[in-house]
Amino acid sequence: MLSRLGHGGMGTVWRAHDQVVDREVAVKEPRVPDHLGEREHTTAHQRMRVEARSAARIDHPSVVTIHDVVVEEGRPWIVMELVRGQSLGDRLQEGILDTREAARIGLGGVLDALAAAHNAGVLHRDVKPDNVLLGTADRVVLTDFGIAQVEGEHRLTETGAFVGSPEYIAPERVLGQHPGPASDLWSLGVVLYAAVEGMSPYRRSNTPATLQAVLSAEPQVPARATGAFGLLVMRLLRKDPAARPTAAEVRQVLQEIAAPARTTEPFATKEGGSRWVPPVLHRNRAAQFGLAGGALAVVLALVLVLVNPFAGDGPPEGWQVRPEDEVLSADVAVPTEYKRVQEDNGELVWYADPSGVFEIDFWHRTLKGEDGTDSDNPGADAAARKAYYEKGGADTTQMEDASVTYKKVTHQGRPAVEMITDYIPYASSSDDDPVRYRFHELLIPGGKPSDPYWHVRVRTPAKGQAVKDGATIFTEVTGGLNIHDS
């Protein structure tokens, strides 16, 4: 054994040297917690044998090659090829992928591997980014057939037991129904979604909530993957397996997306980049905020002049309208590249600028629940919210030195309040030269005091060109907010 490559619930993978043939290999060691009983140990060892047999049945370069299974003291050790590279899960920790790269990985690795597996009578059942390896020369390999189901073989999972990664599992599996190839294609759809958004759309704070989301939540079209890619993902995530596209249909769409581009976008950047701020300014807060020689002002002004994203009657170029029925009972207009995040309580969704300069938040919530939650929430009352911010905001530790102004407005015929708050974050108030931020907000009361109210916030720096651009974003965001009639 040379070094540990990774570990999971039932095994540890090592980089090792095969002295017989003088090559480096990967070795999966069975690891079962000591507190589990003999039956669980036996099941775990059986699963590793199934993993080896399943992968060995599939002859394809996108499936990890099994060299041998060595049984030592009753424990099976799997010897397999060493794929040099990181997993897709590790890659996504560094930043999201563009649709072309996501399509390439989904097509040339995952889909090809699944097609070969299904032809061999094997269902993978645990397709997720951590099980997709990115090797050298653009090779993509699907690994870990530990919970695979082989046609004609006895199932190891007893009734009521649950194995797999909840946020990547198909709804029919959650319901205990018989899975098929469409179940693996669902998981591929979630992997493609995560590749361009950074996370599964079904991820919640705990397993029961995640499984419920798989069964009932209807995810939004990926913000960075409209068009053919986004449409394909949404078709793969249909609850009814029969309504999902076939592997052949998926292949055709991914091939078209993965094909080399005919033109190059003048403002596109590499991973983690943004059309708002070039990579050279990433993690450079002073430059981003226009506090060091106006660098951000020049960049943003150039983009605004050349791209002109805020002109026209509909959504500006580079923006999109997204339905937010589940959280907001409204449609929202947001920049296409902003990352969508939803809070578990179902009251908040926000869109984060990849450069970190701006953030757009949307709430639809009541003042407080019967248990006293949000007891200090001032709601849509302008005077109360002004006092709330001047006292420090949430728990009086959110901000300091708040300067608040507001005016009455209307939105879709509803009375509303537009509020601007400049403040210093509490955590940075002791800095020698703290950076001031701005909340530019729209507050729309419900029909009755007890009804939920809408709260829109654009967070920007409070100095430099970013203030003007933040105000323009606010205008587009509030202008595109379409509240549905109740």
Side-chain angles (χ1 to χ4, degrees):
M1 300 297 183
L2 300 177
S3 62
R4 191 175 76 170
L5 297 175
H7 66 280
M10 293 296 173
T12 299
V13 180
W14 299 88
R15 182 171 67 91
H17 184 259
D18 187 333
Q19 296 178 333
V20 176
V21 296
D22 190 24
R23 66 179 172 188
E24 286 195 350
V25 295
V27 176
K28 187 169 185 178
E29 173 192 9
R31 297 291 294 270
V32 185
D34 294 335
H35 68 274
L36 295 181
E38 181 179 351
R39 181 180 181 183
E40 286 79 8
H41 280 71
T42 300
T43 298
H45 295 166
Q46 288 177 328
R47 283 208 180 105
M48 289 193 66
R49 290 186 175 92
V50 169
E51 175 178 3
R53 286 199 304 272
S54 300
R57 290 178 63 156
I58 308 165
D59 183 14
H60 195 277
S62 292
V63 175
V64 67
T65 300
I66 303 297
H67 296 315
D68 199 0
V69 177
V70 178
V71 179
E72 182 177 341
E73 297 181 354
R75 299 193 305 156
W77 296 58
I78 301 176
V79 183
M80 51 191 157
E81 70 167 312
L82 176 65
V83 179
R84 301 181 185 278
Q86 61 184 167
S87 72
L88 176 59
D90 291 335
R91 170 61 185 81
L92 292 179
Q93 295 297 315
E94 302 171 3
I96 59 173
L97 307 180
D98 61 38
T99 54
R100 184 170 294 106
E101 177 66 2
R104 183 192 71 80
I105 292 172
L107 172 66
V110 185
L111 183 62
D112 284 351
L114 290 178
H118 296 163
N119 287 336
V122 177
L123 298 179
H124 189 280
R125 303 201 307 162
D126 198 20
V127 178
K128 60 182 180 181
D130 287 344
N131 288 340
V132 178
L133 302 182
L134 308 179
T136 57
D138 287 339
R139 185 186 176 204
V140 181
V141 179
L142 183 62
T143 187
D144 199 344
F145 284 74
I147 64 170
Q149 178 181 318
V150 180
E151 186 177 9
E153 291 197 4
H154 174 70
R155 301 183 194 177
L156 292 177
T157 307
E158 298 89 351
T159 302
F162 181 83
V163 292
S165 304
E167 61 189 293
Y168 291 95
I169 231 159
E172 58 269 23
R173 284 200 55 213
V174 177
L175 294 172
Q177 299 171 355
H178 183 65
S183 302
D184 280 345
L185 292 180
W186 160 284
S187 301
L188 169 60
V190 185
V191 168
L192 293 174
Y193 193 109
V196 297
E197 288 290 290
M199 62 185 290
S200 161
Y202 305 106
R203 180 179 297 177
R204 301 294 187 268
S205 60
N206 56 72
T207 297
T210 297
L211 295 178
Q212 185 58 47
V214 167
L215 291 175
S216 60
E218 294 293 343
Q220 306 292 322
V221 177
R224 297 173 185 81
T226 55
F229 188 98
L231 180 59
L232 174 65
V233 169
M234 300 311 292
R235 292 177 63 203
L236 286 168
L237 298 185
R238 288 171 176 168
K239 307 298 185 189
D240 181 4
R244 296 170 201 154
T246 64
E249 292 176 286
V250 175
R251 179 180 305 280
Q252 181 178 356
V253 175
L254 291 181
Q255 283 176 337
E256 293 174 355
I257 298 171
R262 296 180 181 179
T263 59
T264 302
E265 292 186 72
F267 297 103
T269 64
K270 295 182 180 180
E271 299 103 11
S274 165
R275 287 185 176 87
W276 283 101
V277 180
V280 71
L281 299 184
H282 286 182
R283 297 190 178 92
N284 186 337
R285 186 174 68 172
Q288 289 180 354
F289 293 170
L291 300 177
L296 176 63
V298 172
V299 172
L300 291 182
L302 180 61
V303 173
L304 287 169
V305 168
L306 295 180
V307 181
N308 193 20
F310 301 108
D313 297 330
E317 182 181 350
W319 285 57
Q320 63 175 330
V321 174
R322 295 191 59 163
E324 289 288 356
D325 300 326
E326 183 181 354
V327 180
L328 303 174
S329 296
D331 299 333
V332 301
V334 292
T336 303
E337 289 195 342
Y338 281 29
K339 179 180 179 181
R340 181 186 184 276
V341 184
Q342 179 176 330
E343 199 161 90
D344 292 341
N345 62 16
E347 296 181 340
L348 167 64
V349 60
W350 73 92
Y351 291 82
D353 171 16
S355 71
V357 178
F358 305 106
E359 182 180 293
I360 305 169
D361 306 317
F362 300 93
W363 288 269
H364 188 212
R365 57 181 173 180
T366 57
L367 284 174
K368 58 182 178 180
E370 295 180 358
D371 60 354
T373 302
D374 286 338
S375 58
D376 64 342
N377 177 16
D381 185 316
R385 183 165 291 275
K386 180 176 184 294
Y388 171 76
Y389 285 154
E390 290 174 342
K391 291 178 181 178
D395 300 321
T396 69
T397 59
Q398 181 182 13
M399 61 181 66
E400 287 190 349
D401 193 24
S403 172
V404 185
T405 60
Y406 63 87
K407 63 181 179 181
K408 294 181 179 180
V409 296
T410 60
H411 185 84
Q412 291 182 226
R414 304 169 186 259
V417 172
E418 181 179 340
M419 178 173 287
I420 294 178
T421 304
D422 291 351
Y423 67 96
I424 298 172
Y426 186 86
S428 62
S429 60
S430 60
D431 295 350
D432 293 336
D433 185 20
V435 176
R436 293 185 69 85
Y437 290 83
R438 170 169 292 184
F439 286 165
H440 199 163
E441 300 173 291
L442 180 69
L443 302 163
I444 308 170
K448 297 179 295 185
S450 59
D451 289 344
Y453 68 96
W454 288 268
H455 182 182
V456 181
R457 173 189 293 165
V458 175
R459 190 212 68 183
T460 77
K463 290 180 64 177
Q465 178 68 28
V467 174
K468 296 180 180 179
D469 295 316
T472 309
I473 292 173
F474 178 82
T475 299
E476 289 295 340
V477 167
T478 55
L481 176 66
N482 180 26
I483 299 173
H484 302 161
D485 293 333
S486 56

